[in-house]
Amino acid sequence: VDYLDSMMNYYKISSSDITNIPFIRYIATKKKPILLSTGAATEEEIEQAVMEIEKTNNRLILMHCVLEYPTPYEHANLNRIKALKDRYPDIEIGYSDHTKPEENCNVIKTAYTLGAKVFEKHFTLNKTLKGNDHYHAMEPSDIKNIKENLEFVKKISGYGGLSYQGSEYAARLNARRSLVLADDLCAGDTIKKENLVFKRPGTGISPNAYEQVIGKHLLHDMKADSVLKWCDLI
């Protein structure tokens, strides 16, 4: 820890040390951001490590991790990311990925959509090199591919929210219905149910105001198929 202190802007604690509480406690005193991997850990072990770190350091990122090299796709258990987010809503969640890179980056993209914002993956210049990690690591081309795929997912994810987007405004007007006259009516005529139909565009009075319009009077003569607006009524 002391050796790395002058060289590193943050500390990464591997899954193998998640129960090494004296070690974790000392790292936390350095006040630098900490990435804590949670591979092969129980809920209680994660909680104890988090509590120890937060006694002196609130700059923590929890990394979902499966301690299996390589991790078969069916063992990735990416829903654990959401479980970590739900359990620790105030802590940033990441993903330490040990699955083999695949062309469409489906594992990383899914992790992102589930809430992971920090990603860790082994890196090599050549996956065919001998050793325990090269074959499931990413090469430079994989980094480019992952970045491009994540940018696309971010683009299509949008801002959220329950209201419509500005780009939908014109279609909203054209696609929706308005209250439209079914008959020619004269100024002063009372609007009855049989005088109304629902037609596009949605530039007039919305059908959700149907009952409010019944019983109103026309301010001026109007032809059948005219879109009703509030300024036409008294």
Side-chain angles (χ1 to χ4, degrees):
V1 175
D2 291 334
Y3 173 76
L4 291 173
D5 192 27
S6 63
M7 296 182 279
M8 302 299 294
N9 294 322
Y10 66 91
Y11 286 97
K12 162 66 195 302
I13 301 176
S14 75
S15 300
S16 59
D17 277 315
I18 196 165
T19 57
N20 192 345
I21 297 303
F23 183 63
I24 289 174
R25 189 181 294 135
Y26 188 66
I27 290 174
T29 65
K30 297 295 186 179
K31 307 292 186 181
K32 291 184 178 181
I34 294 172
L35 280 73
L36 175 65
S37 275
T38 60
T42 66
E43 184 176 352
E44 291 75 18
E45 289 167 345
I46 296 170
E47 178 67 15
Q48 185 182 18
V50 169
M51 287 178 58
E52 285 297 332
I53 290 170
E54 290 189 330
K55 287 178 182 178
T56 55
N57 189 328
N58 61 1
R59 306 171 72 184
L60 173 62
I61 298 171
L62 273 180
M63 306 289 287
H64 166 51
C65 174
V66 177
L67 203 60
E68 188 175 358
Y69 297 81
T71 302
Y73 298 126
E74 62 271 23
H75 293 179
N77 193 23
L78 296 181
N79 278 324
R80 193 166 181 258
I81 293 168
K82 187 177 183 302
L84 286 169
K85 282 179 63 68
D86 292 342
R87 176 66 182 83
Y88 300 101
D90 298 324
I91 296 178
E92 196 80 82
I93 306 300
Y95 175 47
S96 182
D97 181 33
H98 298 138
T99 63
K100 290 183 178 179
E102 36 87 27
E103 183 179 358
N104 295 318
C105 306
N106 289 319
V107 175
I108 296 292
K109 288 189 294 188
T110 303
Y112 175 80
T113 59
L114 288 170
K117 294 297 182 288
V118 177
F119 294 92
E120 177 191 29
K121 194 163 182 64
H122 291 235
F123 176 77
T124 183
L125 295 176
N126 186 345
K127 293 176 189 173
T128 65
L129 292 174
K130 292 181 179 180
N132 186 48
D133 295 325
H134 293 287
Y135 63 96
H136 68 82
M138 59 180 177
E139 294 174 339
S141 61
D142 293 313
I143 294 179
K144 183 175 183 293
N145 191 33
I146 288 171
K147 183 176 184 297
E148 290 173 352
N149 273 271
L150 279 181
E151 288 298 328
F152 179 72
V153 171
K154 288 166 67 177
K155 181 189 296 185
I156 64 175
S157 295
Y159 64 90
L162 298 179
S163 188
Y164 68 91
Q165 300 180 88
S167 60
E168 298 175 284
Y169 182 70
R172 172 186 165 93
L173 293 180
N174 291 326
R176 292 195 173 190
R177 273 68 174 169
S178 296
L179 295 180
V180 174
L181 289 181
D183 313 289
D184 294 344
L185 294 179
C186 299
D189 282 352
T190 301
I191 304 291
K192 302 181 179 64
K193 291 182 178 180
E194 56 266 28
N195 299 137
L196 298 173
V197 292
F198 313 118
K199 291 185 178 182
R200 290 171 172 168
T203 54
I205 299 173
S206 172
N208 63 20
Y210 176 69
E211 294 181 357
Q212 299 173 43
V213 170
I214 302 300
K216 294 279 189 183
H217 302 280
L218 273 185
L219 187 61
H220 46 78
D221 295 349
M222 294 186 74
K223 295 289 187 182
D225 231 24
S226 297
V227 175
L228 273 180
K229 297 187 164 93
W230 288 111
C231 60
D232 298 321
L233 305 175
I234 53 175

